[in-house]
């Protein structure tokens, strides 16, 4: 009977957590786009605008790396931008999530971790209805181009369509893996900065500098192949680098990404998530005294 009671309590707490998470995500999204005409699709405006700008300035220089195609360079820049924008938005919003809800936490006993998590879930939803369909469409288009370019013997129309569909489904099935690594990185970094902000209120100013350094050191508007060998070890330390490269390989190449790059992305995500969650959990008991 005691075991059954504990199971019911655990189930009740879990249901309460998920219900609270749903409410916070809905509140986050409705507050973010209240009164907006385009609503959630504004998340596409920044990467599309910056992609056009980068293509106009750097397209002529870096297009050679992408088989002389400005379109492929633009798509590569767009892919890098949506990833760095997701990281920047998710972690910057998570940074203030605990302190910003301090008055609520002082009135009602709530699981503190739900606030950084809700911010990330809201950004996942925004990504899913914004950039994700674009990336999926471009993936299928590039798979088709790759199949046609590498075809050594003529195929019948049914065989050709079957090959394109099969390769497209494989790439689309793999796509969630680098995105999972990105979510793990954002959750871990979000937990870390949300916890630190409780103790250090100057953190947002310092964190802006950190995000800028990560943006510059990530191959967003430039291909990783142009980075000098002396600088490459520093690039490899950037947890967003394997995520961007794996996603670009899926979207641009028409082939699955390198296994080593994908493993690095997932391993980096797990390490950062573990570190962020461990720190957040160990500091949690001190939060209420400072909120």
């Amino acid at each position: 009977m005691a075991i059954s009671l504990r199971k019911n309590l655990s189930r009740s707490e879990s249901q309460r957590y998920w219900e609270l998470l749903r409410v916070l995500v809905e509140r986050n999204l409705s507050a973010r786009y209240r009164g907006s005409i385009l609503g959630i699709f504004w998340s596409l405006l920044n990467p599309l605008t910056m992609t056009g700008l980068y293509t106009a300035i750097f397209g002529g220089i870096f297009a050679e790396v992408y088989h002389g195609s400005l379109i492929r360079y633009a798509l590569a820049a767009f892919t890098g931008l949506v990833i760095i924008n997701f990281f920047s938005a998710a972690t910057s919003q998570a940074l203030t999530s605990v302190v910003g809800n301090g008055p609520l936490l002082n009135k009602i006993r709530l699981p503190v971790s739900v606030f950084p998590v809700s911010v990330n879930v809201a950004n996942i939803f925004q990504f899913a209805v914004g950039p994700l369909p674009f990336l999926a469409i471009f993936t299928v288009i590039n798979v088709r181009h790759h199949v046609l370019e590498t075809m050594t013997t003529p195929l019948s129309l049914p065989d050709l369509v079957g090959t394109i569909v099969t390769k497209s489904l494989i790439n689309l099935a793999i796509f969630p893996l680098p995105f999972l690594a990105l979510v793990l990185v954002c959750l871990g970094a979000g937990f870390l900065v949300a916890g630190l902000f409780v103790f250090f209120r100057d953190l947002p100013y310092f964190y802006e500098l950190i995000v800028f350094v990560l943006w510059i050191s990530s191959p967003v508007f430039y291909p990783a192949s142009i980075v000098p060998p002396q600088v490459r070890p520093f690039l490899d330390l950037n947890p967003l680098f394997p995520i961007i490269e794996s996603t670009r390989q899926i979207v641009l190449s028409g082939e699955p990404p390198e296994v080593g790059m994908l493993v690095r992305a997932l391993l980096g995500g797990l390490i950062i998530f573990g570190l962020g969650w461990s720190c957040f959990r160990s500091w949690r008991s001190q939060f209420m005294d400072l909120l």
Side-chain angles (χ1 to χ4, degrees), residues 20 47 50 70 88 108 166 186 193 211 230 280 283:
L20 178 60
M50 294 301 294
L70 276 177
S88 176
I108 308 173
T166 301
C186 292
V193 296
V211 171
Q230 300 88 343
F280 187 86
W283 299 334

Side-chain angles (χ1 to χ4, degrees), residues 229-248:
Q230 300 88 343
V231 183
R232 186 60 182 258
F234 297 98
L235 186 66
D236 290 335
L237 291 175
N238 184 342
L240 298 179
F241 167 61
I243 296 172
I244 292 173
E245 288 300 292
S246 296
T247 306
R248 277 181 176 161

Side-chain angles (χ1 to χ4, degrees), residues 94-103 105 112 115-116 194-195 198 280 287 291:
L95 186 149
T96 58
S97 61
V98 173
V99 173
N101 288 282
L105 289 168
V112 186
F115 295 104
V198 176
F280 187 86
F287 288 169
L291 291 174

